[in-house]
Amino acid sequence: MKTKLILVGISILIVNMVRAQKLDVAKAFASAAQQTNVLIKNVDSARRIRPDLVSPRTVENGQFKMVGSGDWTSGFFPAELWYFYQYTKDKRWLQLARKYTEDIRPEQFNKGTHDLGFMIYCPFGNGYRLTGDPAYRAVIIQAAKSLSTRFNATAGVIKSWDHNGDKWKYPVIIDNMMNLELLFEATRLTGDSSFYKIAVTHANTTLKNHFRPDFSSYHVIDYDTLTGKVLQKVTAQGYANESAWARGQAWALYGYTMCYRETKNRIYLTQADGIADFILNDKITPVDGIPYWDYNDPKIPETSRDASAASITASALYELAKYSAHAKKYKAAADKILNSLTTKYTGKIGSNYGFILTHSTGHRPAKSEIDVPINYADYYYLEALLRSKK
């Protein structure tokens, strides 16, 4: 009898845990929309003073921070608006998305950054997907041409940064995997396979050089463009060269999941599975699924979380669940993360100038954007909400 009671108790506990993971997506989207309406008002007020600053990035030291179209995060805000339109089919969101997307258009010609996937593909790619507007198609193609100029065939990678030449020669960061989607799309739109080949070469070189045996990723790999050899493996935003910077692991997971979708090359699926196993290891990721900013920070648990890494991971896991043999595990993990973000990491309506999520970490070593709301956290949170419905 005692054994039966214990089993019944365990069953009730499991049922309650499952129920706790079920998220009301409609309610979450409605709350996010309320917050974003606050954000839009603050954006418009700020732009009356500084028209050259077009997108909201974060809140730091209590101050609302806007950025110009050349900032790597500039595309996330208009891209969020496309997701609200996708979910609601409300023409108001369509008009807003079109309006703020236009501000990023000049960056299609920017050859000085690897971040054109974030800057251009997030707003214009979603805009084209949802409207079929040929003007958006043209911007995507031009941006892919601009990004392609940063590819070095000898090293087999797209250069990430032009700054800090005293630290590295030809730096490539794991974040760069996210910009390959722009190139895959350009081949689909034009039939020109050169974009596809650059993306695959970059993905293959990154797979070879960026990862440790446990599938954790270095942040920065420095290449010699004359020989293609690796000069050094370091970090810029993580705790240490050999540590696992949380957002970097999320970029890697998302990037290789996307590469599998675009190529159906099972090497990328195997890589994504390996990265997912690393991230979901109970020894490094907290119970609520929201990681500390770096998995190897010795100050854990007395250090900042990174909700942005969590939202990127959740979105990636929902997609990976479509392809992997571990679908149930990944969907359950994504559900848990999304539930935690919605119940514990969202600000009150009207707070934080209208950003949705709290407790992200941008660049802790530089003492920048620590424990703050940030636009890419919100973007991938909305994407994860949409993907959770499919």
Side-chain angles (χ1 to χ4, degrees), residues 55-300:
S55 283
R57 173 165 170 158
T58 186
V59 178
E60 200 164 20
N61 300 318
Q63 299 298 309
F64 184 55
K65 183 178 178 182
M66 294 278 291
V67 293
S69 65
D71 187 84
W72 79 271
T73 70
S74 64
F76 292 117
F77 168 62
E80 287 177 60
L81 305 180
W82 284 113
Y83 279 155
F84 282 116
Y85 172 60
Q86 178 179 338
Y87 184 76
T88 66
K89 302 297 187 292
D90 186 332
K91 292 295 175 62
R92 173 180 172 270
W93 289 112
L94 172 62
Q95 292 168 354
L96 288 167
R98 283 190 176 279
K99 173 185 173 182
Y100 294 104
T101 292
E102 282 305 303
D103 295 320
I104 320 298
R105 183 183 289 272
E107 302 310 318
Q108 65 182 300
F109 300 105
N110 189 341
K111 297 177 181 178
T113 179
H114 72 110
D115 287 313
L116 292 177
F118 290 134
M119 297 158 70
I120 292 293
Y121 192 66
C122 288
F124 286 92
N126 281 309
Y128 182 68
R129 178 175 60 84
L130 294 170
T131 68
D133 188 335
Y136 292 168
R137 178 182 182 275
V139 171
I140 294 166
I141 295 167
Q142 176 55 53
K145 290 177 181 177
S146 297
L147 180 60
S148 296
T149 66
R150 300 183 65 79
F151 178 72
N152 180 278
T154 302
V157 280
I158 299 165
K159 187 180 184 184
S160 294
W161 294 328
D162 295 337
H163 59 73
N164 291 109
D166 57 322
K167 291 183 180 180
W168 36 62
K169 185 175 180 179
Y170 197 87
V172 177
I173 60 176
I174 190 62
D175 320 35
N176 210 339
M177 287 297 301
M178 301 293 287
N179 298 298
L180 304 185
E181 192 169 10
L182 170 67
L183 299 177
F184 286 124
E185 178 71 0
T187 286
R188 192 158 38 245
L189 294 177
T190 65
D192 182 347
S193 63
S194 64
F195 302 116
Y196 182 99
K197 289 174 182 175
I198 289 173
V200 167
T201 303
H202 183 97
N204 291 345
T205 306
T206 299
L207 193 153
K208 177 183 174 185
N209 296 321
H210 248 91
F211 293 90
R212 306 180 185 96
D214 64 359
F215 288 94
S216 66
S217 171
Y218 288 94
H219 183 203
V220 188
I221 303 295
D222 189 20
Y223 289 90
D224 184 336
T225 54
L226 297 178
T227 65
K229 291 182 179 178
V230 171
L231 296 174
Q232 54 179 336
K233 300 184 177 187
V234 295
T235 194
Q237 288 172 263
Y239 170 74
N241 292 341
E242 292 296 329
S243 73
W245 173 51
R247 194 162 69 252
Q249 313 315 304
W251 293 140
L253 176 66
Y254 193 111
Y256 281 98
T257 300
M258 176 270 296
C259 282
Y260 176 71
R261 178 222 306 153
E262 297 294 339
T263 68
K264 295 300 182 283
N265 184 336
R266 294 195 67 83
I267 291 174
Y268 300 146
L269 180 59
T270 299
Q271 188 70 12
D273 276 331
I275 299 165
D277 283 344
F278 174 81
I279 291 174
L280 299 178
N281 185 326
D282 290 340
K283 293 179 181 178
I284 60 171
T285 298
V287 175
D288 66 358
I290 315 301
Y292 293 96
W293 76 282
D294 189 296
Y295 291 120
N296 301 105
D297 185 345
K299 292 184 179 179
I300 291 173

Side-chain angles (χ1 to χ4, degrees), residues 5 159 311 350:
L5 287 172
K159 187 180 184 184
S311 61

Side-chain angles (χ1 to χ4, degrees), residues 360-371:
S360 288
T361 300
H363 192 343
R364 193 175 181 91
K367 297 181 172 58
S368 172
E369 300 176 338
I370 300 171
D371 195 26

